Amino acid sequence: MEKLRVGYIGLGGRGYGVLNGIINNMNDIDIVVVCDLKEDRMQKGKKLVEEKYGHDIDGTLNYHDILARKDIDCILIPSSWNAHYKIAIDSMEAGIPAAFEVGPVSSLQECWDLVRTHERTGVHCMALENCCYGRYEMAMYNMIKKGIFGEVVYVGGGYQHDLRGLADSYASGMERSFHTKCRNGELYPTHELGPMLYYLDINRGNRMLSLTATSTKARGLYDYINKNGGKEHPMYGKQINNGDITTTVIKCANGENMVLTHDITLPRGYSRGGRVQGTNGIWMEDGNRLYLDGMNEGHEFADMKNYIDQYDHPLWRKYKEEGIQDAHGGMDTLVLRAFFESVRNHEEPPIDVYDSVCMSVVSCLSEQSIAMGSMPVPIPDFTDGKWVDRKPSPKSPYALDVVYDDLFEGDKFEYFDFVK
């Protein structure tokens, strides 16, 4: 299998994690150049790849050096939140497909710039939302597309993750902490919203119309700071704008509701809080509970673990055979493979530019809603009306809008060149 030649831009914490997954798991991907604004990070990433490959690779502090090259098949951008949209736009302008890590957009204009650049250049970009390829999320696609839940009317989810340590990282300049300090809204919507887009056929026969957002007061980080250093803490006395819990409700054209919860500054266990509910039943991630009409007597939930093998998406069945593992249980690898295979086949990626901006735009629109007393805010139609009758995404094992069972029959599905 011919190797894809990849330029890699951004070597912070997430950048190193993704890089390790590629060089340790994928023989058909060749990282040929790495980039970061900071010399020490760039050199560290360069050394990491060279030790694995056994030969020198290039490194640069300016990503435009990579975009000027003629030997790059695609770009990966696990850079900071405020940088990756601009880099993706510049990459498309240079004629190079780009995949960027998730994080909130700061303005509506960023989303339109991504969309218009793609439409003008014909070059693709993709948000690397790994939760779209989580095992249970993909099982939900499979069940929904096969009608197991009947007609779906409600989906929910959240980014519910105790990140009070953000207060400590503020002093070290971690960009994510600055968003929490300065903004008030649904600042990390893509983990929950990404899968929901495909549950409800958003941008392909359905669309998001409007949202309302409400945020609580901010107390969690103040309490954490007082308990962990008090006046000696670098964040002591500083203003914190983001409320502890933000709830966003999205209304869809076909009548469904999406509900998102952002909850990162209070003590809690981790959960994405997934929920799918239709006329024939419900699944809830918390407790991993399933209830289907006629399944049980009375009103007792069943344990979804007892049904996951039955309802597994065929892609997960295949990759379980291969023993796939990474830092997030397999979904990092799957989302990367989805992008790489689209580049290899010169096709639109499963998470296209319209889906990418839809799962991101909620951050800045939720800020507007909260600032106006939780007033409804319209969500733009980034497809300019094409959502009404858009064709399915290219037929692929990694497709999210359609489950192509026939691609997994017999030996039809070929594994990528997996490092043994």
Side-chain angles (χ1 to χ4, degrees), residues 240-294:
I240 297 169
N241 287 343
N242 204 48
D244 289 324
I245 299 178
T246 300
T247 305
T248 303
V249 179
I250 300 172
K251 187 67 178 175
C252 298
N254 292 346
E256 307 92 344
N257 282 356
M258 299 169 157
V259 179
L260 314 182
T261 304
H262 184 261
D263 172 7
I264 67 168
T265 50
L266 294 170
R268 60 158 301 125
Y270 179 83
S271 171
R272 294 199 293 278
R275 176 170 167 176
V276 174
Q277 192 162 8
T279 56
N280 198 44
I282 180 174
W283 168 75
M284 300 177 70
E285 179 185 345
D286 289 338
N288 205 12
R289 297 175 290 171
L290 178 68
Y291 187 95
L292 298 176
D293 210 8

Side-chain angles (χ1 to χ4, degrees), residues 155-309:
V155 295
Y159 188 61
Q160 301 172 140
H161 189 185
D162 184 351
L163 294 177
R164 288 174 293 167
L166 286 172
D168 302 328
S169 67
Y170 176 76
S172 64
M174 180 181 178
E175 186 191 353
R176 184 171 188 164
S177 62
F178 286 90
H179 286 263
T180 300
K181 176 181 178 292
C182 298
R183 302 175 67 182
N184 188 17
E186 167 49 90
L187 296 187
Y188 206 60
T190 65
H191 278 352
E192 62 267 36
L193 184 55
M196 292 183 196
L197 299 182
Y198 305 101
Y199 295 162
L200 299 183
D201 299 319
I202 299 300
N203 293 328
R204 290 184 170 84
N206 198 3
R207 84 173 193 89
M208 303 188 298
L209 292 176
S210 63
L211 64 77
T212 59
T214 303
S215 192
T216 70
K217 57 188 174 183
R219 289 295 180 268
L221 285 184
Y222 290 119
D223 182 73
Y224 175 88
I225 290 164
N226 285 330
K227 292 176 179 176
N228 293 272
K231 293 182 178 180
E232 303 302 317
H233 195 283
M235 275 289 286
Y236 184 82
K238 301 291 178 60
Q239 177 70 26
I240 297 169
N241 287 343
N242 204 48
D244 289 324
I245 299 178
T246 300
T247 305
T248 303
V249 179
I250 300 172
K251 187 67 178 175
C252 298
N254 292 346
E256 307 92 344
N257 282 356
M258 299 169 157
V259 179
L260 314 182
T261 304
H262 184 261
D263 172 7
I264 67 168
T265 50
L266 294 170
R268 60 158 301 125
Y270 179 83
S271 171
R272 294 199 293 278
R275 176 170 167 176
V276 174
Q277 192 162 8
T279 56
N280 198 44
I282 180 174
W283 168 75
M284 300 177 70
E285 179 185 345
D286 289 338
N288 205 12
R289 297 175 290 171
L290 178 68
Y291 187 95
L292 298 176
D293 210 8
M295 171 183 280
N296 296 327
E297 295 182 4
H299 302 285
E300 297 295 321
F301 278 92
D303 190 337
M304 182 64 191
K305 289 181 180 178
N306 298 328
Y307 294 87
I308 184 63
D309 289 338

Side-chain angles (χ1 to χ4, degrees), residues 68-218:
R69 296 173 61 137
K70 303 301 182 184
D71 61 343
I72 302 294
D73 296 311
C74 60
I75 299 289
L76 289 185
I77 312 168
S79 65
S80 64
W81 287 2
N82 281 345
H84 51 214
Y85 300 100
K86 176 64 166 63
I87 299 172
I89 289 168
D90 288 346
S91 183
M92 288 188 285
E93 294 280 11
I96 306 173
F100 53 91
E101 268 297 336
V102 297
V105 293
S106 297
S107 70
L108 192 58
Q109 189 62 49
E110 285 184 313
C111 295
W112 280 116
D113 288 346
L114 276 170
V115 168
R116 296 308 187 210
T117 302
H118 158 70
E119 291 176 339
R120 178 168 45 78
T121 64
V123 181
H124 294 292
C125 70
M126 171 176 163
L128 290 172
E129 180 39 72
N130 56 0
C131 290
C132 290
Y133 288 91
R135 185 181 183 189
Y136 282 90
E137 285 85 352
M138 295 204 82
M140 291 306 110
Y141 306 146
N142 196 34
M143 295 173 74
I144 290 168
K145 304 309 179 187
K146 290 177 170 56
I148 304 299
F149 290 106
E151 183 177 356
V152 176
V153 301
Y154 177 101
V155 295
Y159 188 61
Q160 301 172 140
H161 189 185
D162 184 351
L163 294 177
R164 288 174 293 167
L166 286 172
D168 302 328
S169 67
Y170 176 76
S172 64
M174 180 181 178
E175 186 191 353
R176 184 171 188 164
S177 62
F178 286 90
H179 286 263
T180 300
K181 176 181 178 292
C182 298
R183 302 175 67 182
N184 188 17
E186 167 49 90
L187 296 187
Y188 206 60
T190 65
H191 278 352
E192 62 267 36
L193 184 55
M196 292 183 196
L197 299 182
Y198 305 101
Y199 295 162
L200 299 183
D201 299 319
I202 299 300
N203 293 328
R204 290 184 170 84
N206 198 3
R207 84 173 193 89
M208 303 188 298
L209 292 176
S210 63
L211 64 77
T212 59
T214 303
S215 192
T216 70
K217 57 188 174 183

